[in-house]
Amino acid sequence: MTVVGPFGLSVRDQALEADVQAGLTAVEEGLLEATKSEVPFITEAAQHLVRAGGKRFRPLLVMLASQFGDPYAPGVVPSAVVVELTHLATLYHDDVMDEADVRRGVDSANQRWGNSVAVLTGDFLFARASYILADLGPEAVRIQAEAFERLVTGQILETAGPTEGRDPVDHYLDVLGGKTGSLVAVACRFGAMMSGADETVVDVLTQYGERLGVAFQLADDVLDIASDSHESGKTPGTDLREGIPTLPVLRLRERVARLGLAEDIALSELLDSDLTDDARHAEALTRLRAHPALEQARRDTVRYAEEARAALAPLPECDAKASLIELCDLVVHRAG
């Protein structure tokens, strides 16, 4: 049994391990090639997050999904590069919107070079992803365009907030489906599609990716509260400090509306206060870690991970399917 990639997936079959490792290595080379420019400064900025590392979660899914067809098909690795470039581009933009100082344990691009360079570097990565995508055919372009529209729509909906009368939790889950689920679904879809897998297999893996993507983000929400050292390189409680209402906070507010308990109201008021103060921020983290709202968010994470696992049921039993199931377990473990 060998651990593959920073995400910690254990692969028991040597042939599958070799295919996945070779694919991820090729993706890494493809990312570096795609982020080169004739202008050295652009290369430095574009490769900033590539060289900082990351879980390469989406390329891993492309490689595993390709096992249901021909994993050596010529479109598999380029499609993984496209998906990861798109993801990286969104990180540059997210850090500007969130005014983040750190990403993956290094200075964020906006912290290092300013907002304008960070935004334009993200645009550069989108352009390079589109360039590669053009060689994969019009269907691939359409799929990526639809996913990108969903991703942007999710970001806008998050910024705008729920409309009057809309349940905030339902709104938030829809946001995550767009912001995160859409691109993870494309990773699975591209892997299967580029490998020539049957259309029914492509559909199954797309549904799996959508649910797994939401579970993955929900696990991040839990980790932001519960973990002492955040996997993404962010300081614990970053979302709290920035006033971003992730699922644990939304579950707390839901409980306040339903039960009206004094201690819940007090915690909600604390979370709505100025958490740039270190002492107040530490108190908020400590109290939320011990609150039932965090456990409810964990249960939500498990639910989406189980839905992802259930979506795989029609697929034939094989090592690739076992690895996809294990990813569901790993996501739940992260939130544990």
Side-chain angles (χ1 to χ4, degrees):
M1 183 171 66
T2 305
V3 173
V4 174
F7 196 74
L9 176 68
S10 59
V11 175
R12 294 166 178 82
D13 179 74
Q14 289 185 343
L16 175 59
E17 176 201 340
D19 284 349
V20 171
Q21 291 283 22
L24 291 177
T25 298
V27 168
E28 211 64 29
E29 294 169 354
L31 288 171
L32 290 173
E33 185 62 32
T35 48
K36 285 180 182 176
S37 168
E38 294 179 357
V39 181
F41 176 68
I42 295 177
T43 301
E44 181 185 5
Q47 292 186 350
H48 181 61
L49 289 185
V50 174
R51 295 187 181 279
K55 291 177 282 291
R56 302 293 188 253
F57 180 50
R58 292 155 189 81
L60 173 62
L61 286 169
V62 174
M63 297 307 136
L64 290 174
S66 73
Q67 292 291 319
F68 294 90
D70 176 10
Y72 309 109
V76 172
V77 169
S79 70
V81 173
V82 165
V83 172
E84 189 66 7
L85 281 175
T86 304
H87 171 59
L88 289 170
T90 66
L91 298 185
Y92 281 85
H93 288 178
D94 283 352
D95 286 345
V96 171
M97 294 181 65
D98 299 339
E99 300 179 352
D101 295 330
V102 176
R103 169 69 69 175
R104 294 180 173 176
V106 300
D107 287 345
S108 61
N110 50 297
Q111 172 69 15
R112 187 166 179 176
W113 294 294
N115 286 345
S116 294
V117 169
V119 169
L120 291 170
T121 302
D123 293 344
F124 175 80
L125 295 182
F126 283 131
R128 285 298 173 89
S130 298
Y131 184 83
I132 297 169
L133 196 63
D135 288 334
L136 299 179
E139 178 68 3
V141 173
R142 183 186 65 78
I143 290 168
Q144 175 77 353
E146 288 177 350
F148 191 50
E149 179 184 345
R150 287 189 61 204
L151 196 157
V152 172
T153 299
Q155 185 67 67
I156 293 172
L157 288 175
E158 180 180 57
T159 303
T163 55
E164 185 175 354
R166 180 82 198 279
D167 179 75
V169 171
D170 288 344
H171 171 83
Y172 183 67
L173 293 173
D174 282 348
V175 164
L176 295 192
K179 279 185 59 179
T180 306
S182 62
L183 197 57
V184 175
V186 165
C188 294
R189 187 172 184 177
F190 274 170
M193 188 175 84
M194 295 299 166
S195 72
D198 291 342
E199 189 60 37
T200 53
V201 172
V202 175
D203 289 343
V204 164
L205 288 168
T206 302
Q207 294 171 31
Y208 163 84
E210 179 89 19
R211 289 159 177 77
L212 187 69
V214 174
F216 186 80
Q217 185 56 56
L218 292 179
D220 263 5
D221 286 0
V222 172
L223 276 170
D224 188 62
I225 305 300
S227 177
D228 289 330
S229 56
H230 200 290
E231 290 182 9
S232 70
K234 291 165 59 179
T235 304
T238 296
D239 292 331
L240 281 185
R241 192 184 292 275
E242 295 172 356
I244 299 172
T246 57
L247 191 62
V249 175
L250 294 175
R251 285 301 188 192
L252 169 65
R253 292 175 180 172
E254 180 183 63
R255 183 180 163 99
V256 167
R258 188 175 74 253
L259 301 177
L261 300 177
E263 59 188 36
D264 292 346
I265 294 172
L267 177 54
S268 182
E269 290 174 349
L270 174 62
L271 294 177
D272 289 337
S273 68
D274 181 10
L275 295 183
T276 58
D277 177 80
D278 288 342
R280 192 179 291 120
H281 178 259
E283 180 187 356
L285 259 183
T286 299
R287 291 173 63 180
L288 192 53
R289 283 170 175 167
H291 196 275
L294 184 62
E295 185 55 38
Q296 177 61 56
R298 283 196 179 99
R299 290 197 294 271
D300 293 323
T301 305
V302 171
R303 174 166 59 86
Y304 271 92
E306 288 301 319
E307 287 179 3
R309 180 201 298 267
L312 294 173
L315 297 182
E317 298 302 321
C318 61
D319 290 309
K321 180 179 178 179
S323 293
L324 291 171
I325 290 172
E326 185 184 346
L327 283 175
C328 299
D329 297 334
L330 288 170
V331 166
V332 170
H333 177 72
R334 290 174 73 237

